[in-house]
Amino acid sequence: MSQSTPIESTTLAYTNPVYPSYFADPFVWEYQGVYYAIGTGEAEAEGEVDEAGEQRVFPLLRSHNLVDWQSAGRAMLRPDASLGNNFWAPEVAYWDGTFYLYYSVGHEDKNHQLRVATSDRPLGPYKDIGKPLLEAEPYPFAIDPHPFQDDDGQWYLFYACDFLDTEGDARAGTALMVDRLESMTKLAGEAKVVLRAHQDWQRFLENRPMYGGTYDWHTLEGASVRRHEGRYYCFYSGGRWETENYGVDYGVADQVMGPYSDAGNEAGPRVLRTVAHRVLGPGHNSIVLAPDRQTEYIVYHAWDTNRTARRLCLDKLVWTPEGPCCNGPTWTPQMISMGNRNS
């Protein structure tokens, strides 16, 4: 647990990381005055989930101030073991009395499918509904589902999947899609491309053997969407998650289904990027309001300097006339406003 120090009655100090254990791909949401975080645990990432009993997957955390986090067990009853041992990047949406946990499961870096589980409580247990959100063809690898509700109440699902073509100077690799949710457990089948990779910093690996060929493989993943002043901002992580080139950038659109543009990122990710010898590979973010109900924070994972674990971090999100930016990644004490809530 992080050390939090009262600065004054409405402010706390924190230092990243705010949770000491492995906690990748963090998604944070608030429900009835309590913050919850769900993410990819070390076992889920490495494919070391066993098959004994009613095994649960995906670590859960709970907090009353966004700074001090306590373990709250694991979220989801493990589905059919034949689906795979790697469980990645869960996110939770609450709608009409039910919590929906979107996630991907598969075998290492192949045959990953999007699925959803439900619960009537934020801490679960969540139970898989028994079918994938996307068919294996033409999506043998689909990851990082992100549910987004627009102002009119309509839900959408952003996710990442693989492309092999290089049309319009796009790079082969994993990129972002969006589809309308016909219900919370069924896609409408109206999928559109959100963003493709075009920059060298988004490279995952040169000469990567994939799908029977060899590719200069690029990756965009971990979508997180925010509507701000009438426009849609799709934050995403690009590059290779294990290295210092991984970071957070964004695309912007006038309509939720696009078209999106991330022009202006030629020099690298504009929201979060590595700070040499301090913070490595910050990425896979979500966005949440601070306890003051006004200040937005970007929640993300980052490696320690020895690259032994990805851990939970948070920093203030700032909106400028040029677009969103962040005062992080930080590694020194920061202040967060508590508003009128108890700290």
Side-chain angles (χ1 to χ4, degrees):
M1 187 185 306
S2 66
Q3 296 294 319
S4 59
T5 306
I7 303 300
E8 55 185 33
S9 61
T10 59
T11 308
L12 283 179
Y14 72 91
T15 303
N16 284 319
V18 293
Y19 189 70
S21 300
Y22 192 109
F23 200 88
D25 310 328
F27 178 76
V28 173
W29 80 101
E30 184 184 4
Y31 178 70
Q32 294 184 345
V34 178
Y35 290 102
Y36 299 91
I38 189 170
T40 303
E42 188 169 17
E44 286 83 353
E46 298 297 329
E48 297 174 350
V49 178
D50 64 41
E51 301 177 14
E54 272 200 344
Q55 175 76 26
R56 289 201 196 186
V57 295
F58 295 129
L60 282 164
L61 307 177
R62 182 167 44 192
S63 175
H64 290 280
N65 57 19
L66 202 58
V67 170
D68 298 298
W69 293 93
Q70 298 82 37
S71 173
R74 291 181 118 71
M76 189 181 76
L77 299 174
R78 187 185 178 184
D80 185 345
S82 68
L83 295 174
N85 286 349
N86 294 92
F87 293 81
W88 296 347
E91 295 203 10
V92 173
Y94 177 72
W95 180 244
D96 197 24
T98 300
F99 296 88
Y100 296 86
L101 191 165
Y102 298 86
Y103 70 102
S104 78
V105 58
H107 304 269
E108 296 182 351
D109 60 354
K110 59 184 178 181
N111 300 325
H112 257 259
Q113 60 178 247
L114 303 182
R115 300 183 71 90
V116 60
T118 62
S119 175
D120 59 2
R121 296 181 295 174
L123 293 178
Y126 292 83
K127 185 176 181 181
D128 186 89
I129 66 169
K131 59 183 180 180
L133 282 165
L134 288 172
E135 297 301 325
E137 295 293 339
Y139 300 105
F141 183 81
I143 61 171
D144 296 357
H146 169 66
F148 169 75
Q149 187 181 30
D150 205 353
D151 289 353
D152 62 2
Q154 176 63 53
W155 286 90
Y156 298 84
L157 192 73
F158 290 74
Y159 58 93
C161 63
D162 289 349
F163 294 82
L164 302 183
D165 71 277
T166 55
E167 184 178 351
D169 296 325
R171 313 285 179 93
T174 306
L176 303 177
M177 299 280 285
V178 62
D179 200 348
R180 182 174 61 87
L181 279 163
E182 188 174 291
S183 71
M184 297 301 284
T185 59
K186 183 180 179 181
L187 291 167
E190 303 167 357
K192 292 186 177 181
V193 175
V194 174
L195 291 167
R196 295 282 304 272
H198 290 88
Q199 308 301 335
D200 289 345
W201 69 267
Q202 298 164 338
R203 181 178 292 114
F204 183 92
L205 185 67
E206 291 185 76
N207 300 317
R208 187 185 191 192
M210 296 288 290
Y211 301 105
T214 302
Y215 298 89
D216 185 14
W217 198 260
H218 292 65
T219 294
L220 308 184
E221 61 186 12
S224 179
V225 177
R226 167 79 167 84
R227 185 173 181 176
H228 178 76
E229 294 184 351
R231 306 191 80 193
Y232 298 86
Y233 292 81
C234 179
F235 295 78
Y236 68 86
S237 295
R240 183 169 182 145
W241 61 275
E242 300 159 298
T243 67
E244 63 278 357
N245 74 310
Y246 196 66
V248 175
D249 197 64
Y250 65 92
V252 62
D254 294 323
Q255 305 292 329
V256 65
M257 295 282 284
Y260 285 81
S261 172
D262 60 355
N265 65 0
E266 294 80 7
R270 293 168 290 180
V271 180
L272 286 169
R273 63 168 71 189
T274 289
V275 178
H277 311 298
R278 296 291 187 178
V279 182
L280 301 179
H284 204 116
N285 74 281
S286 55
I287 297 171
V288 68
L289 282 177
D292 66 5
R293 317 294 294 177
Q294 296 179 357
T295 311
E296 290 179 280
Y297 274 76
I298 186 167
V299 183
Y300 59 96
H301 69 233
W303 291 98
D304 58 275
T305 53
N306 293 322
R307 213 174 71 178
T308 57
R310 293 177 288 174
R311 294 186 172 91
L312 178 64
C313 301
L314 59 111
D315 280 302
K316 187 182 296 185
L317 181 65
V318 179
W319 294 92
T320 73
E322 291 74 35
C325 62
C326 180
N327 68 338
T330 67
W331 60 93
T332 58
Q334 306 293 311
M335 292 186 294
I336 184 170
S337 173
M338 296 291 108
N340 295 322
R341 294 170 51 144
N342 294 329
S343 60

